[in-house]
Amino acid sequence: LDEPKLNSGVLELVFNQEILKDMENGVIADEVMESLVRTLTEQETIEAVNVKVENVEQIANESGEVYSEPVTRESINPSEKL
């Protein structure tokens, strides 16, 4: 897959469809997105994470809300499990 790209504090990552919880609807598990964002934004140069999935137009959280822009620490709702 594509190499991660860092541009103006936004890290773009492209995954294959295996990362999705629900491939049919392009849903990524909330805790997966939260883990990615929390871990990666610990780096000083990364302010937000733009997650893309190959062959998937748009991805959404478990509530069906589409991730239309890069995700920041502030924009994720902490899941109860973490």
Side-chain angles (χ1 to χ4, degrees), residues 6-11 37 40-50 70-75:
L6 182 60
N7 187 9
S8 300
V10 177
L11 183 67
V37 172
L40 294 167
T41 56
E42 285 181 7
Q43 306 295 317
E44 277 185 37
T45 54
I46 300 172
E47 297 169 20
V49 180
N50 189 11
V71 183
T72 63
R73 254 174 194 260
E74 293 75 38
S75 67

Side-chain angles (χ1 to χ4, degrees), residues 1-16 19 33 36-37 40-41 45-54 56-57 59 67-72:
L1 300 179
D2 294 345
E3 288 291 312
K5 295 180 191 119
L6 182 60
N7 187 9
S8 300
V10 177
L11 183 67
E12 182 176 296
L13 300 169
V14 181
F15 292 94
N16 66 28
I19 196 167
M33 181 63 87
L36 282 169
V37 172
L40 294 167
T41 56
T45 54
I46 300 172
E47 297 169 20
V49 180
N50 189 11
V51 175
K52 296 185 175 189
V53 179
E54 63 180 6
V56 177
E57 193 81 16
I59 60 171
Y67 289 107
S68 56
E69 53 190 46
V71 183
T72 63

Side-chain angles (χ1 to χ4, degrees), residues 21 27-35 60-63 67 77 79:
K21 179 177 183 174
V27 173
I28 189 167
D30 292 346
E31 43 188 66
V32 171
M33 181 63 87
E34 183 176 344
S35 295
N61 65 18
E62 292 178 46
S63 302
Y67 289 107
N77 295 323
S79 69

Side-chain angles (χ1 to χ4, degrees), residues 17-31:
Q17 293 180 5
E18 295 298 315
I19 196 167
L20 297 175
K21 179 177 183 174
D22 175 353
M23 287 188 207
E24 205 172 295
N25 296 306
V27 173
I28 189 167
D30 292 346
E31 43 188 66

